[in-house]
Structures are given as C-alpha cells and as structure tokens.
Amino acid sequence: MNKFINEKLMPPMMKFLNTKAVTAIKNGMLYPIPFIIIGAIFLILANFPQQNVADWISQIGWTPIFNQAYAASFGIMALFATFGIAYSWVKSEGFEGASAGLTAIIVMVMLQPSSISTVTKIIDGSAVVGEYQVNGVIDAAWLGGKGMILAIVGGLLVGWSYSWFMKKNIRIKLPEQVPANVADSFGALIPAFAITFGAMLVYALSVLTTDQTPIEWIYTLIQTPLQHVADGPLGVFLIAFLPVFIWWFGVHGATVIGGIMSPLLLANNADNLKLFQEGKLSLEHGAHIVTQAFMDQFITVTGSGMTFGFVIFMIYRARSVQMRTIGKLTLAPAFFNINEPVLFGMPIVLNPILAFPFLIAPLVSGFGTYAAIALHIIPPFNGMYVPWTTPPILSGLIVGGWQGALWQALMIFVTGIIYWPFAKKYDAILVQQEKEAYEAEQAEQA
C-alpha cells in the first residue's frame, strides 16, 4: 500500500499542488490573513458575544466605528487576495511583483459595478417606493467575500500575462544608471496598459451583451455554485480528509488545501456574518454550514488530525519514555492548535499504526458537526473570523456561542477516544524498543 501511494498516487497529486497556479493561490492567500485577523478583532468588538457588553458598546456609539475598521480590513479581503496572487506568480518567475499586484487591483475594480441601486420607501399617507441609482461608487461587498472567485481568476490571469510580457522583454528599458525602483515602475507601463486595456474590453463585452458586469455573472455562474458545493458533504470530505492525508506524508496539508479552499470558505463566512448582523442566521434564510470557522474550529482544532486526545494519553497513560517526554513538550502548543511536535516527534507522519485515527478523527468531527447543524442541534456559525491559534472552547464560544463551545468540547473528547487504542498499541511497541535498547546497552557495557 505504501509503495502504491508513494509511487502512483502522490506524484500526480504533488505535481498538481506544485503547479504555478495552485502555488500562486496558496501563497497569495497568505497576504490577506494579517488584515483578516485585524478586522476580526474589530468585528468581535462590534458584535460582542456578551449581550450587556454589546448593548453598552452600541449605546456609546462605537459599534459603527468598529464596523468601519472591520470594513476597511476584513471587508476588502478579495482586494488583498488578488494582489497577493498576482504578486506571488510574478515573483516566482523572478520579476518584481508589486506592479503586477497593483495591476490586478485595477482589473478587480474595473470588472465590477460602478453604481449602486437603492430602493427607498417614503411613508406619507401611503407607501411610495422610489428606486435611485448612485453612480461613481465602489460597492464594498464585491471587495469582500462576494468577489473571491474574481480575485483568484483575475490574480492568476494578471500574474500569467504580466510574466509573459516580462519574459518576452516587451517593456520599457531604461539605462542601468537609472535607480532600480524607477526602472521597475517604467518597465511596468506596457504590460500594465495591455492588461488594463484587455480588462476594459472584457468589461465592455459583458455589459453590452449580458447587461451585467463580469463580477456579477462570475458570482452567479461560478462562485455561488462552488460555495454550495463546498457547503455540502463533498466540501466536508475535502477539508477533513485531504489535509491530514497529505500531512501523513510530511507535507503541510492544512496550508495546501486551506490555500485552495479558503476563498470559498471565507465567502461562506461573509454570507453568514451578513445574516448574523441582520438577525437572520438560520438555514432557512440561507446560512452556510461549512465555513472557515467550520474548518478552523472543528476540523483542525488542536492541530491537524485533532491530536489533543493523543497528547493527553501521552502525558497521563503512556509508559514509554519517548511518549511521556514528547507529550509534556506538546501540551502547551496544542492549546494554541500547534501540533508539529507530535506529528514529527512521535512521529505520526508515515506511522502506519497512528494513520487510522489521524485520518479518521477529522472526518468524525467534520461530519458530526455538519449533521449537528443540519439537524438544528447547534446553530450555524456566525461568520466571525477567529485566528487559528485561538485556544479551543474559547474559539467555539466566539463562532457559535455556548452551543458551539459545548459541541467543540464534545468533538475533542470523541476524537480523543478514537486515538486511545492505537496510542496504547504504539506505546507498547515503544516500551519494548526501549527495553531492548537498554538491554543491548547493558550487554555492551558488560
């Protein structure tokens, strides 16, 4: 089986994961993360989990101020993403990438509406409905979750085309005496103009033939179906199984799969947040089950493979010196969802005995949580973004209230039980190995 996986299954998978496009998405999606975390802090303050505190914040007038800070950071994550993807592609080709990233922002803004229609009801004896159109504005909704697919597609196309121009030397070349930053700026003129002109033609073709901007039909035809696919059992399987499957071979699966799936999961998060702020967070109103919080707080909580139960076994039940020692070293990082010490120190990586619980635990938690929300046992997650290092229970409380915290604790307990018989078997093997090593050492000294 190991031979089949290593020789037949992994090479094509790794070849796909290492393509320029997937690598650019994976690396590019890292750029929005700091600003998403910053915005998440203000988002939590604007929608504080404790109701009396939330009411006080609203009374003193700070809720809209916190929301403004959220909208200027977390709220424009698609803009950061398209910059990061284009920048990463061009940078990997050996060229200066900032100009490509800025060009991707131009494309992103150009391909969306520049007006907003509003409907106003005027009550004066009878209801009069008036529709008004405001021109010359940017709808921030398209810069957030609703614009993630355009951010990816636009970032990839800009990165590829910009690199093509640079490789073909179709650019303005200045003498060597000109400072590098000035030369790079002028060198970007031709590729940036060509890409901007091409985007303009795409915009013209779209609005003249479909009466929709490109971002609107991309959202309708591509992003919405993809979000719904990610929101079902297939999405649960992809984010629960593939990261740990890849991790078992020593490759950081959470980063690889998270980089690909995060745009859709963050878009689902944004939809749920909007419903939560409107007081309509329910499946009946279209809330998503599978969101970024679903992955971070109920599949990779305490680390990929949900290894916290295994760590507890190592500390309190293990008899081998190796297990007890690594368990003590791993406990503190596990509270912050970091488990590389146990993955490589035990190791779990390439360990056939620990493979089963490592692969199964996230699936149990993932499908269990999916069923719990679908059956209305716990509510959908509220769209809050919690940094992945937030300790368990606290993170569950923030994204799902007391029900989320209680369910998260239950999933950690259940997945811990899955680990114990396999941990006990592996501990016995280590005890035997340590005994044999000790006897060999004593014989050698004698």
Side-chain angles (χ1 to χ4, degrees):
M1 179 61 71
N2 282 341
K3 184 178 180 181
F4 169 77
I5 293 173
N6 283 313
E7 295 182 2
K8 301 296 183 182
L9 187 59
M10 287 301 293
M13 178 180 292
M14 295 309 299
K15 185 177 181 180
F16 167 74
L17 294 175
N18 289 323
T19 58
K20 290 180 181 179
V22 174
T23 301
I25 295 172
K26 180 181 66 176
N27 294 337
M29 284 304 299
L30 295 176
Y31 287 90
I33 297 300
F35 309 104
I36 290 175
I37 293 174
I38 291 170
I41 295 172
F42 293 110
L43 179 62
I44 293 171
L45 291 173
N47 301 271
F48 205 80
Q50 190 70 26
Q51 189 58 48
N52 59 340
V53 177
D55 292 340
W56 177 76
I57 292 174
S58 178
Q59 288 170 6
I60 64 174
W62 274 83
T63 297
I65 296 174
F66 288 140
N67 279 327
Q68 179 76 356
Y70 151 76
S73 48
F74 194 149
I76 56 172
M77 60 182 173
L79 210 58
F80 296 128
T82 198
F83 175 93
I85 292 169
Y87 175 88
S88 298
W89 184 303
V90 174
K91 193 72 174 178
S92 69
E93 296 285 6
F95 303 107
E96 191 276 322
S99 296
L102 294 173
T103 303
I105 290 177
I106 293 174
V107 171
M108 179 82 182
V109 174
M110 181 183 297
L111 298 183
Q112 59 185 268
S114 58
S115 63
I116 300 177
S117 295
T118 62
V119 175
T120 304
K121 290 184 178 180
I122 303 173
I123 308 298
D124 186 13
S126 61
V128 180
V129 178
E131 183 172 347
Y132 304 90
Q133 183 169 306
V134 182
N135 297 313
V137 297
I138 298 175
D139 187 348
W142 295 114
L143 303 180
K146 290 178 68 175
M148 289 305 295
I149 294 300
L150 177 62
I152 294 172
V153 174
L156 292 176
L157 290 177
V158 169
W160 171 80
S161 55
Y162 191 96
S163 298
W164 182 86
F165 277 97
M166 302 304 282
K167 287 178 181 179
K168 298 294 183 181
N169 275 320
I170 306 176
R171 50 179 167 162
I172 297 174
K173 299 178 183 177
L174 297 178
E176 294 181 359
Q177 293 80 4
V178 177
N181 57 337
V182 177
D184 289 338
S185 297
F186 278 91
L189 279 174
I190 293 177
F193 175 80
I195 293 168
T196 302
F197 185 78
M200 182 190 69
L201 294 180
V202 171
Y203 176 84
L205 180 64
S206 175
V207 296
L208 293 176
T209 58
T210 68
D211 200 30
Q212 281 188 317
T213 59
I215 196 171
E216 290 173 304
W217 60 258
I218 286 176
Y219 180 77
T220 303
L221 297 179
I222 301 176
Q223 179 162 332
T224 299
L226 283 176
Q227 282 185 241
H228 284 294
V229 169
D231 196 28
L234 177 60
V236 176
F237 177 81
L238 290 176
I239 62 176
F241 178 75
L242 287 183
V244 288
F245 177 73
I246 297 172
W247 245 130
W248 193 75
F249 293 90
V251 180
H252 203 304
T255 299
V256 173
I257 302 302
I260 298 172
M261 293 295 293
S262 283
L264 297 175
L265 299 180
L266 287 170
N268 286 352
N269 246 39
D271 290 346
N272 279 19
L273 177 61
K274 187 173 185 296
L275 291 173
F276 174 69
Q277 292 173 326
E278 295 172 351
K280 300 178 181 178
L281 184 64
S282 66
L283 298 180
E284 290 74 20
H285 287 101
H288 299 283
I289 296 178
V290 185
T291 63
Q292 189 68 40
F294 186 100
M295 180 176 180
D296 290 345
Q297 277 71 62
F298 293 87
I299 289 180
T300 60
V301 65
T302 74
S304 294
M306 300 186 67
T307 54
F308 193 75
F310 181 38
V311 173
I312 296 300
F313 175 91
M314 289 194 290
I315 296 173
Y316 296 105
R317 298 300 299 271
R319 295 184 297 118
S320 65
V321 175
Q322 180 179 338
M323 263 202 182
R324 290 200 308 270
T325 303
I326 294 176
K328 293 175 183 177
L329 294 173
T330 304
L331 182 60
F335 276 110
F336 299 95
N337 307 310
I338 298 169
N339 68 340
E340 277 81 354
V342 70
L343 293 180
F344 293 103
M346 225 29 260
I348 291 178
V349 170
L350 294 177
N351 188 324
I353 296 174
L354 297 175
F356 180 83
F358 184 63
L359 297 174
I360 293 300
L363 287 170
V364 170
S365 179
F367 281 105
T369 304
Y370 184 90
I373 298 175
L375 296 174
H376 303 281
I377 297 173
I378 61 175
F381 302 127
N382 56 26
M384 298 283 187
Y385 181 87
V386 181
W388 64 270
T389 51
T390 304
I393 312 305
L394 175 60
S395 62
L397 179 68
I398 294 173
V399 303
W402 67 267
Q403 300 103 316
L406 188 61
W407 185 263
Q408 190 182 54
L410 177 62
M411 290 299 98
I412 293 173
F413 177 75
V414 169
T415 54
I417 292 175
I418 294 173
Y419 272 96
W420 277 50
F422 298 91
K424 187 176 181 180
K425 175 64 176 176
Y426 189 54
D427 181 46
I429 293 173
L430 291 178
V431 168
Q432 183 63 30
Q433 290 176 349
E434 290 172 359
K435 180 181 178 182
E436 292 173 357
Y438 175 77
E439 291 174 349
E441 183 180 347
Q442 292 299 312
E444 207 175 282
Q445 290 177 356

